Structure formats: C-alpha cells, structure tokens
Amino acid sequence: MNKLASIFIIVIAFTSINVFASADVDKGEALAITCISCHGVHGNSVVAAFPKLAGQGEGYLLKQLQDFKSNTRQDAIMKGIVASLTDNDMENLAAYFSKQTITQGITVKSVNIDLGKKLYRGGNKSKSITACIACHGPTGSGIPSAKFPALTYQNATYIAKQLINFRQYAYNTQMDTSAPERSNDYEGMMRNITKHLSNAEIEAVSQYISRLN
C-alpha cells in the first residue's frame, strides 16, 4: 500500500468518528477578545511568528486548544491562556475562528519558491518526503473532517517554526536532548516527514504555502 492510499484510509477513519459538539459562535467571539494581541482581529495575525486562526477547521482548532490544555502540545504563552478555559469555552472559540475569513499571509520574496512548490506538490521520493498536497490539498484548504489543518495564507514564519519543531522531535530522540519540540501530530506523520527536511527546504516550502489561495 502506498503512502497516499494510507493517508486516504486515515481520512476515512477520522471522518467516521468525527462528531463535533454544538458550539456558540457569539460566546466564542466574546472570548476571542483575549486572543487579539497575538492572533489579530478575527484571527488574522499581523505578527509573522503567530498563526492565523481565521477559517481554520473547527476540529483542528479544538484539538490544539485541548492539547495545549493537557500539555500534549507545549507553549508557555498558550499554557497560561487555556488554563482557565472550560471544554465549552474551547468549543466556542474553535467555532468562532473557523467561521472567520482569512486574509493574505506575511511572506518574503528572497526564497526558492520553485523548490517549495516542488516539495508541496510532489514531495521528494529520494528523501522519503511525502507531498504536502496529500493532506493539505492543492490550495491549502486541508481536510477538516480529518483535522488536517488549512494552510491557505498562513504566515510563513509560523509555518517554518512548526516544521522545525516537528523536526526537533527526531533530533531530541537521536541526540538525547530536550530542545523545544512538537509531537501532537497524528501517528507521527509530520515528524516522519520533517526529519528529512533541510533548513532551506523548510524555508522554501513555508514561503510557498503562505502564497496558496
């Protein structure tokens, strides 16, 4: 079975069990006031290092908030933010941000966009790098039912940071170090891909992704 077929099966499995609780968008909007300083008005961050939340899949957003709450995904700022949130609060926030419209991301021009496009659309078979398009789609819309995030117009600096954090997991495992890492991806999918990426490839694909629409 090839990797794309495996991913398809994973998507179907997720879809069959993915049931969202009802949420209140208005209550989510009220709670989102505390998120503006980092994530911007309506979830459109103008700070390159912070993610845009507007238009992100509701299930993915909820999972990330829950992971921050349980410390499965570690971030000092978010740990403090989610500490007082209830399950309903997180559901309402996820619902609110998922209904917002994302604006164009923050990019730079001095990067190898052709390399980024090649990696995103075709991967790199020789390095066992699966194409990003398989899970995130041709325009970066993601697969909400599988909780695969949308990447459309996401800030390039934030994307690069997350890819590096996923890659760091492999480094920590190999070198017995404890640098900041991210490991809350399903079945280690992102960790397995990013461990083969160079810094130049991460920068290129991050900049390419930030232009998707």
Side-chain angles (χ1 to χ4, degrees):
M1 182 182 296
N2 61 37
K3 290 184 178 180
L4 287 179
S6 297
I7 290 170
F8 180 75
I9 290 173
I10 291 170
V11 171
I12 296 299
F14 263 99
T15 303
S16 66
I17 62 173
N18 189 28
V19 180
F20 298 117
S22 59
D24 190 315
V25 173
D26 291 335
K27 289 182 179 179
E29 182 175 15
L31 288 167
I33 292 175
T34 62
C35 309
I36 290 175
S37 60
C38 291
H39 299 291
V41 178
H42 305 305
N44 282 297
S45 174
V46 295
V47 181
F50 296 138
K52 289 172 174 282
L53 304 180
Q56 186 58 265
E58 184 174 349
Y60 178 78
L61 289 171
L62 179 57
K63 179 183 185 300
Q64 300 314 302
L65 289 170
Q66 291 171 335
D67 285 355
F68 282 128
K69 182 91 171 180
S70 67
N71 213 36
T72 302
R73 181 177 176 183
Q74 298 179 11
D75 182 276
I77 296 175
M78 286 303 301
K79 182 177 182 179
I81 295 294
V82 300
S84 62
L85 295 179
T86 66
D87 289 342
N88 284 338
D89 288 338
M90 291 187 284
E91 291 168 5
N92 294 339
L93 278 168
Y96 167 71
F97 283 119
S98 72
K99 300 297 188 296
Q100 306 311 302
T101 301
I102 196 168
T103 59
Q104 188 168 349
I106 300 171
T107 64
V108 297
K109 296 180 180 179
S110 58
V111 71
N112 190 343
I113 292 299
D114 288 338
L115 173 59
K117 180 179 180 179
K118 180 180 178 181
L119 288 168
Y120 186 89
R121 303 187 70 83
N124 186 330
K125 186 176 180 179
S126 67
K127 296 176 67 175
S128 300
I129 298 173
T130 303
C132 312
I133 198 172
C135 293
H136 300 289
T139 61
S141 58
I143 305 177
S145 60
K147 301 178 185 176
F148 294 158
L151 301 178
T152 304
Y153 281 157
Q154 187 56 266
N155 292 333
T157 299
Y158 174 75
I159 296 171
K161 178 184 177 183
Q162 297 312 303
L163 292 176
I164 289 170
N165 285 349
F166 279 126
R167 186 181 66 180
Q168 187 63 46
Y169 177 88
Y171 288 178
N172 287 344
T173 300
Q174 294 169 4
M175 305 301 292
D176 194 25
T177 55
S178 57
E181 63 180 41
R182 182 173 174 184
S183 58
N184 72 325
D185 53 324
Y186 179 72
E187 294 292 331
M189 291 172 67
M190 288 303 302
R191 284 169 282 170
N192 287 330
I193 292 170
T194 55
K195 68 182 180 182
H196 301 295
L197 289 172
S198 67
N199 289 341
E201 288 170 332
I202 285 177
E203 183 64 22
V205 76
S206 297
Q207 292 295 333
Y208 176 74
I209 288 170
S210 69
R211 291 164 165 77
L212 290 172
N213 62 73

